[in-house]
Amino acid sequence: MKDSPVHSADTLRTAEQIFGYFKGLILSGRLGAGEKLPTVRQTMVDLDVALGTAAKAYKLLEQEGLVVSRGRAGTRVADASAALPGAVAAQLRAAVATAKSANVPHGDLINALSAYWTE
């Protein structure tokens, strides 16, 4: 699990904090509709928290309608809660990663995206 600039694995200790972290990723579009979250066990390992803490965070996400649990298919972002479709979010993440590796300034990337949008 990648740490966000606001959160690190060391700051995510309670179920409510983990819930807030994932909620932010979903509402910001960093996790799009249908995208799979890490398993509860993987979240437990990544954040070094108890299994019950990770499971409670996922339960909170489900209760708020942000995710749906699909058994063996895993926990996925609910269609209605996502800011962006999963495919769009994935392509944006890839574009940002490529731009960062090429040292493209943030503003230049935003301007280019706006130019493509208005084509």
Side-chain angles (χ1 to χ4, degrees):
M1 177 183 313
K2 283 184 135 180
D3 294 332
S4 76
V6 205
H7 295 292
S8 72
D10 294 335
T11 65
L12 298 173
R13 290 286 171 226
T14 69
E16 290 77 14
Q17 290 170 327
I18 297 166
F19 160 79
Y21 172 73
F22 281 114
K23 181 177 181 178
L25 292 177
I26 293 166
L27 296 179
S28 70
R30 290 181 64 194
L31 282 176
E35 285 195 88
K36 190 173 180 181
L37 273 65
T39 65
V40 172
R41 288 192 184 278
Q42 187 62 54
T43 297
M44 173 192 77
V45 170
D46 289 348
L47 299 179
D48 192 27
V49 296
L51 181 61
T53 300
K56 181 178 178 186
Y58 277 51
K59 189 69 171 169
L60 292 170
L61 290 165
E62 194 168 14
Q63 287 173 347
E64 190 148 320
L66 295 169
V67 301
V68 291
S69 285
R70 298 183 177 157
R72 291 189 183 268
T75 301
R76 297 185 179 270
V77 176
D79 291 341
S81 65
L84 298 170
V88 173
Q91 289 194 6
L92 284 173
R93 272 195 306 279
V96 167
T98 301
K100 283 181 175 181
S101 69
N103 295 316
V104 174
H106 175 266
D108 289 355
L109 183 61
I110 297 300
N111 289 337
L113 177 63
S114 293
Y116 281 116
W117 185 265
T118 57
E119 274 186 344

PDB file of all heavy atoms in Angstrom, residues 2-6 25 30 91-110:
ATOM      1  N   LYS A   2       0.654   2.102  -0.912  1.00  0.00           N
ATOM      2  CA  LYS A   2       1.456   3.322  -0.990  1.00  0.00           C
ATOM      3  C   LYS A   2       0.991   4.300   0.070  1.00  0.00           C
ATOM      4  O   LYS A   2      -0.194   4.459   0.301  1.00  0.00           O
ATOM      5  CB  LYS A   2       1.287   3.967  -2.360  1.00  0.00           C
ATOM      6  CG  LYS A   2       2.059   3.291  -3.446  1.00  0.00           C
ATOM      7  CD  LYS A   2       1.875   4.074  -4.693  1.00  0.00           C
ATOM      8  CE  LYS A   2       3.200   4.232  -5.367  1.00  0.00           C
ATOM      9  NZ  LYS A   2       3.123   4.980  -6.586  1.00  0.00           N
ATOM     10  N   ASP A   3       1.936   4.962   0.702  1.00  0.00           N
ATOM     11  CA  ASP A   3       1.591   5.992   1.669  1.00  0.00           C
ATOM     12  C   ASP A   3       1.252   7.272   0.928  1.00  0.00           C
ATOM     13  O   ASP A   3       1.880   7.615  -0.059  1.00  0.00           O
ATOM     14  CB  ASP A   3       2.763   6.259   2.619  1.00  0.00           C
ATOM     15  CG  ASP A   3       3.055   5.060   3.506  1.00  0.00           C
ATOM     16  OD1 ASP A   3       2.113   4.292   3.770  1.00  0.00           O
ATOM     17  OD2 ASP A   3       4.213   4.893   3.907  1.00  0.00           O
ATOM     18  N   SER A   4       0.246   7.961   1.418  1.00  0.00           N
ATOM     19  CA  SER A   4      -0.073   9.256   0.836  1.00  0.00           C
ATOM     20  C   SER A   4       0.797  10.302   1.517  1.00  0.00           C
ATOM     21  O   SER A   4       1.386  10.040   2.561  1.00  0.00           O
ATOM     22  CB  SER A   4      -1.554   9.575   1.047  1.00  0.00           C
ATOM     23  OG  SER A   4      -1.777   9.957   2.391  1.00  0.00           O
ATOM     24  N   PRO A   5       0.875  11.508   0.954  1.00  0.00           N
ATOM     25  CA  PRO A   5       1.681  12.539   1.588  1.00  0.00           C
ATOM     26  C   PRO A   5       1.179  12.896   2.984  1.00  0.00           C
ATOM     27  O   PRO A   5       1.924  13.345   3.816  1.00  0.00           O
ATOM     28  CB  PRO A   5       1.554  13.741   0.655  1.00  0.00           C
ATOM     29  CG  PRO A   5       1.000  13.227  -0.610  1.00  0.00           C
ATOM     30  CD  PRO A   5       0.320  11.930  -0.305  1.00  0.00           C
ATOM     31  N   VAL A   6      -0.121  12.682   3.249  1.00  0.00           N
ATOM     32  CA  VAL A   6      -0.691  13.068   4.527  1.00  0.00           C
ATOM     33  C   VAL A   6      -0.615  11.929   5.537  1.00  0.00           C
ATOM     34  O   VAL A   6      -0.618  12.150   6.719  1.00  0.00           O
ATOM     35  CB  VAL A   6      -2.164  13.458   4.372  1.00  0.00           C
ATOM     36  CG1 VAL A   6      -2.595  14.402   5.462  1.00  0.00           C
ATOM     37  CG2 VAL A   6      -2.468  14.064   3.032  1.00  0.00           C
ATOM     38  N   LEU A  25      -9.010   8.130  -0.600  1.00  0.00           N
ATOM     39  CA  LEU A  25      -8.577   7.611  -1.904  1.00  0.00           C
ATOM     40  C   LEU A  25      -9.764   7.426  -2.844  1.00  0.00           C
ATOM     41  O   LEU A  25      -9.671   7.698  -4.041  1.00  0.00           O
ATOM     42  CB  LEU A  25      -7.854   6.275  -1.731  1.00  0.00           C
ATOM     43  CG  LEU A  25      -6.500   6.306  -1.028  1.00  0.00           C
ATOM     44  CD1 LEU A  25      -5.957   4.894  -0.865  1.00  0.00           C
ATOM     45  CD2 LEU A  25      -5.518   7.169  -1.796  1.00  0.00           C
ATOM     46  N   ARG A  30      -8.619   8.540  -6.608  1.00  0.00           N
ATOM     47  CA  ARG A  30      -7.385   7.750  -6.696  1.00  0.00           C
ATOM     48  C   ARG A  30      -7.685   6.262  -6.728  1.00  0.00           C
ATOM     49  O   ARG A  30      -6.880   5.489  -7.216  1.00  0.00           O
ATOM     50  CB  ARG A  30      -6.449   8.112  -5.556  1.00  0.00           C
ATOM     51  CG  ARG A  30      -5.891   9.530  -5.764  1.00  0.00           C
ATOM     52  CD  ARG A  30      -4.940   9.944  -4.689  1.00  0.00           C
ATOM     53  NE  ARG A  30      -3.751   9.114  -4.694  1.00  0.00           N
ATOM     54  CZ  ARG A  30      -2.893   9.087  -3.687  1.00  0.00           C
ATOM     55  NH1 ARG A  30      -3.096   9.808  -2.621  1.00  0.00           N
ATOM     56  NH2 ARG A  30      -1.820   8.315  -3.749  1.00  0.00           N
ATOM     57  N   GLN A  91      -5.655   5.053 -15.564  1.00  0.00           N
ATOM     58  CA  GLN A  91      -4.878   5.738 -16.600  1.00  0.00           C
ATOM     59  C   GLN A  91      -4.307   7.059 -16.097  1.00  0.00           C
ATOM     60  O   GLN A  91      -3.191   7.436 -16.460  1.00  0.00           O
ATOM     61  CB  GLN A  91      -5.725   5.939 -17.851  1.00  0.00           C
ATOM     62  CG  GLN A  91      -5.961   4.621 -18.565  1.00  0.00           C
ATOM     63  CD  GLN A  91      -6.492   4.804 -19.968  1.00  0.00           C
ATOM     64  OE1 GLN A  91      -6.604   5.903 -20.482  1.00  0.00           O
ATOM     65  NE2 GLN A  91      -6.805   3.696 -20.603  1.00  0.00           N
ATOM     66  N   LEU A  92      -5.066   7.752 -15.266  1.00  0.00           N
ATOM     67  CA  LEU A  92      -4.544   8.995 -14.696  1.00  0.00           C
ATOM     68  C   LEU A  92      -3.347   8.726 -13.791  1.00  0.00           C
ATOM     69  O   LEU A  92      -2.349   9.449 -13.842  1.00  0.00           O
ATOM     70  CB  LEU A  92      -5.640   9.735 -13.921  1.00  0.00           C
ATOM     71  CG  LEU A  92      -6.675  10.457 -14.770  1.00  0.00           C
ATOM     72  CD1 LEU A  92      -7.795  11.008 -13.899  1.00  0.00           C
ATOM     73  CD2 LEU A  92      -6.033  11.570 -15.587  1.00  0.00           C
ATOM     74  N   ARG A  93      -3.445   7.676 -12.962  1.00  0.00           N
ATOM     75  CA  ARG A  93      -2.314   7.311 -12.104  1.00  0.00           C
ATOM     76  C   ARG A  93      -1.088   6.992 -12.944  1.00  0.00           C
ATOM     77  O   ARG A  93       0.031   7.412 -12.626  1.00  0.00           O
ATOM     78  CB  ARG A  93      -2.670   6.110 -11.226  1.00  0.00           C
ATOM     79  CG  ARG A  93      -3.327   6.469  -9.922  1.00  0.00           C
ATOM     80  CD  ARG A  93      -3.322   5.323  -8.939  1.00  0.00           C
ATOM     81  NE  ARG A  93      -3.908   4.109  -9.481  1.00  0.00           N
ATOM     82  CZ  ARG A  93      -5.213   3.869  -9.552  1.00  0.00           C
ATOM     83  NH1 ARG A  93      -6.073   4.767  -9.115  1.00  0.00           N
ATOM     84  NH2 ARG A  93      -5.668   2.746 -10.047  1.00  0.00           N
ATOM     85  N   ALA A  94      -1.288   6.256 -14.025  1.00  0.00           N
ATOM     86  CA  ALA A  94      -0.170   5.893 -14.901  1.00  0.00           C
ATOM     87  C   ALA A  94       0.431   7.138 -15.543  1.00  0.00           C
ATOM     88  O   ALA A  94       1.655   7.273 -15.632  1.00  0.00           O
ATOM     89  CB  ALA A  94      -0.632   4.898 -15.963  1.00  0.00           C
ATOM     90  N   ALA A  95      -0.420   8.047 -15.997  1.00  0.00           N
ATOM     91  CA  ALA A  95       0.070   9.277 -16.625  1.00  0.00           C
ATOM     92  C   ALA A  95       0.858  10.122 -15.628  1.00  0.00           C
ATOM     93  O   ALA A  95       1.917  10.666 -15.964  1.00  0.00           O
ATOM     94  CB  ALA A  95      -1.094  10.079 -17.200  1.00  0.00           C
ATOM     95  N   VAL A  96       0.369  10.217 -14.414  1.00  0.00           N
ATOM     96  CA  VAL A  96       1.068  10.995 -13.385  1.00  0.00           C
ATOM     97  C   VAL A  96       2.414  10.355 -13.067  1.00  0.00           C
ATOM     98  O   VAL A  96       3.435  11.043 -12.957  1.00  0.00           O
ATOM     99  CB  VAL A  96       0.189  11.150 -12.118  1.00  0.00           C
ATOM    100  CG1 VAL A  96       1.013  11.679 -10.952  1.00  0.00           C
ATOM    101  CG2 VAL A  96      -0.994  12.058 -12.405  1.00  0.00           C
ATOM    102  N   ALA A  97       2.431   9.035 -12.941  1.00  0.00           N
ATOM    103  CA  ALA A  97       3.698   8.338 -12.653  1.00  0.00           C
ATOM    104  C   ALA A  97       4.713   8.571 -13.772  1.00  0.00           C
ATOM    105  O   ALA A  97       5.894   8.841 -13.508  1.00  0.00           O
ATOM    106  CB  ALA A  97       3.439   6.842 -12.465  1.00  0.00           C
ATOM    107  N   THR A  98       4.254   8.501 -15.019  1.00  0.00           N
ATOM    108  CA  THR A  98       5.144   8.727 -16.154  1.00  0.00           C
ATOM    109  C   THR A  98       5.644  10.173 -16.167  1.00  0.00           C
ATOM    110  O   THR A  98       6.834  10.427 -16.391  1.00  0.00           O
ATOM    111  CB  THR A  98       4.415   8.404 -17.476  1.00  0.00           C
ATOM    112  OG1 THR A  98       3.981   7.046 -17.438  1.00  0.00           O
ATOM    113  CG2 THR A  98       5.312   8.630 -18.684  1.00  0.00           C
ATOM    114  N   ALA A  99       4.747  11.106 -15.906  1.00  0.00           N
ATOM    115  CA  ALA A  99       5.128  12.517 -15.889  1.00  0.00           C
ATOM    116  C   ALA A  99       6.147  12.792 -14.779  1.00  0.00           C
ATOM    117  O   ALA A  99       7.129  13.514 -14.993  1.00  0.00           O
ATOM    118  CB  ALA A  99       3.895  13.400 -15.718  1.00  0.00           C
ATOM    119  N   LYS A 100       5.925  12.206 -13.614  1.00  0.00           N
ATOM    120  CA  LYS A 100       6.868  12.405 -12.508  1.00  0.00           C
ATOM    121  C   LYS A 100       8.244  11.852 -12.855  1.00  0.00           C
ATOM    122  O   LYS A 100       9.261  12.494 -12.581  1.00  0.00           O
ATOM    123  CB  LYS A 100       6.347  11.744 -11.234  1.00  0.00           C
ATOM    124  CG  LYS A 100       5.257  12.526 -10.540  1.00  0.00           C
ATOM    125  CD  LYS A 100       4.827  11.805  -9.260  1.00  0.00           C
ATOM    126  CE  LYS A 100       3.826  12.624  -8.484  1.00  0.00           C
ATOM    127  NZ  LYS A 100       3.433  11.931  -7.226  1.00  0.00           N
ATOM    128  N   SER A 101       8.269  10.663 -13.474  1.00  0.00           N
ATOM    129  CA  SER A 101       9.561  10.071 -13.821  1.00  0.00           C
ATOM    130  C   SER A 101      10.271  10.876 -14.905  1.00  0.00           C
ATOM    131  O   SER A 101      11.492  10.847 -15.008  1.00  0.00           O
ATOM    132  CB  SER A 101       9.403   8.607 -14.241  1.00  0.00           C
ATOM    133  OG  SER A 101       8.740   8.509 -15.471  1.00  0.00           O
ATOM    134  N   ALA A 102       9.524  11.621 -15.699  1.00  0.00           N
ATOM    135  CA  ALA A 102      10.102  12.472 -16.739  1.00  0.00           C
ATOM    136  C   ALA A 102      10.322  13.902 -16.237  1.00  0.00           C
ATOM    137  O   ALA A 102      10.665  14.792 -17.018  1.00  0.00           O
ATOM    138  CB  ALA A 102       9.197  12.483 -17.970  1.00  0.00           C
ATOM    139  N   ASN A 103      10.077  14.118 -14.941  1.00  0.00           N
ATOM    140  CA  ASN A 103      10.247  15.447 -14.317  1.00  0.00           C
ATOM    141  C   ASN A 103       9.387  16.535 -14.953  1.00  0.00           C
ATOM    142  O   ASN A 103       9.806  17.682 -15.070  1.00  0.00           O
ATOM    143  CB  ASN A 103      11.718  15.859 -14.305  1.00  0.00           C
ATOM    144  CG  ASN A 103      12.555  14.960 -13.442  1.00  0.00           C
ATOM    145  OD1 ASN A 103      12.155  14.605 -12.334  1.00  0.00           O
ATOM    146  ND2 ASN A 103      13.712  14.559 -13.949  1.00  0.00           N
ATOM    147  N   VAL A 104       8.196  16.151 -15.385  1.00  0.00           N
ATOM    148  CA  VAL A 104       7.256  17.136 -15.926  1.00  0.00           C
ATOM    149  C   VAL A 104       6.649  17.900 -14.750  1.00  0.00           C
ATOM    150  O   VAL A 104       6.139  17.280 -13.810  1.00  0.00           O
ATOM    151  CB  VAL A 104       6.134  16.440 -16.738  1.00  0.00           C
ATOM    152  CG1 VAL A 104       5.080  17.434 -17.176  1.00  0.00           C
ATOM    153  CG2 VAL A 104       6.725  15.707 -17.931  1.00  0.00           C
ATOM    154  N   PRO A 105       6.696  19.212 -14.759  1.00  0.00           N
ATOM    155  CA  PRO A 105       6.107  19.977 -13.657  1.00  0.00           C
ATOM    156  C   PRO A 105       4.597  19.746 -13.554  1.00  0.00           C
ATOM    157  O   PRO A 105       3.908  19.564 -14.570  1.00  0.00           O
ATOM    158  CB  PRO A 105       6.403  21.435 -14.024  1.00  0.00           C
ATOM    159  CG  PRO A 105       7.568  21.364 -14.950  1.00  0.00           C
ATOM    160  CD  PRO A 105       7.401  20.076 -15.714  1.00  0.00           C
ATOM    161  N   HIS A 106       4.106  19.771 -12.332  1.00  0.00           N
ATOM    162  CA  HIS A 106       2.681  19.551 -12.049  1.00  0.00           C
ATOM    163  C   HIS A 106       1.793  20.447 -12.910  1.00  0.00           C
ATOM    164  O   HIS A 106       0.848  19.995 -13.540  1.00  0.00           O
ATOM    165  CB  HIS A 106       2.427  19.795 -10.552  1.00  0.00           C
ATOM    166  CG  HIS A 106       1.000  19.718 -10.150  1.00  0.00           C
ATOM    167  ND1 HIS A 106       0.198  20.835 -10.080  1.00  0.00           N
ATOM    168  CD2 HIS A 106       0.231  18.666  -9.806  1.00  0.00           C
ATOM    169  CE1 HIS A 106      -1.011  20.468  -9.695  1.00  0.00           C
ATOM    170  NE2 HIS A 106      -1.019  19.154  -9.523  1.00  0.00           N
ATOM    171  N   GLY A 107       2.089  21.717 -12.917  1.00  0.00           N
ATOM    172  CA  GLY A 107       1.278  22.675 -13.678  1.00  0.00           C
ATOM    173  C   GLY A 107       1.249  22.376 -15.166  1.00  0.00           C
ATOM    174  O   GLY A 107       0.219  22.542 -15.830  1.00  0.00           O
ATOM    175  N   ASP A 108       2.380  21.924 -15.716  1.00  0.00           N
ATOM    176  CA  ASP A 108       2.430  21.582 -17.137  1.00  0.00           C
ATOM    177  C   ASP A 108       1.523  20.394 -17.445  1.00  0.00           C
ATOM    178  O   ASP A 108       0.841  20.371 -18.470  1.00  0.00           O
ATOM    179  CB  ASP A 108       3.861  21.255 -17.568  1.00  0.00           C
ATOM    180  CG  ASP A 108       4.760  22.490 -17.604  1.00  0.00           C
ATOM    181  OD1 ASP A 108       4.255  23.617 -17.392  1.00  0.00           O
ATOM    182  OD2 ASP A 108       5.973  22.306 -17.825  1.00  0.00           O
ATOM    183  N   LEU A 109       1.521  19.422 -16.543  1.00  0.00           N
ATOM    184  CA  LEU A 109       0.653  18.258 -16.748  1.00  0.00           C
ATOM    185  C   LEU A 109      -0.813  18.663 -16.691  1.00  0.00           C
ATOM    186  O   LEU A 109      -1.617  18.239 -17.529  1.00  0.00           O
ATOM    187  CB  LEU A 109       0.952  17.176 -15.706  1.00  0.00           C
ATOM    188  CG  LEU A 109       0.151  15.886 -15.861  1.00  0.00           C
ATOM    189  CD1 LEU A 109       0.433  15.214 -17.200  1.00  0.00           C
ATOM    190  CD2 LEU A 109       0.461  14.940 -14.721  1.00  0.00           C
ATOM    191  N   ILE A 110      -1.171  19.505 -15.738  1.00  0.00           N
ATOM    192  CA  ILE A 110      -2.558  19.975 -15.615  1.00  0.00           C
ATOM    193  C   ILE A 110      -2.956  20.755 -16.867  1.00  0.00           C
ATOM    194  O   ILE A 110      -4.048  20.563 -17.414  1.00  0.00           O
ATOM    195  CB  ILE A 110      -2.726  20.853 -14.356  1.00  0.00           C
ATOM    196  CG1 ILE A 110      -2.450  20.036 -13.089  1.00  0.00           C
ATOM    197  CG2 ILE A 110      -4.110  21.493 -14.307  1.00  0.00           C
ATOM    198  CD1 ILE A 110      -3.345  18.843 -12.894  1.00  0.00           C
TER     199      ILE A 110
END
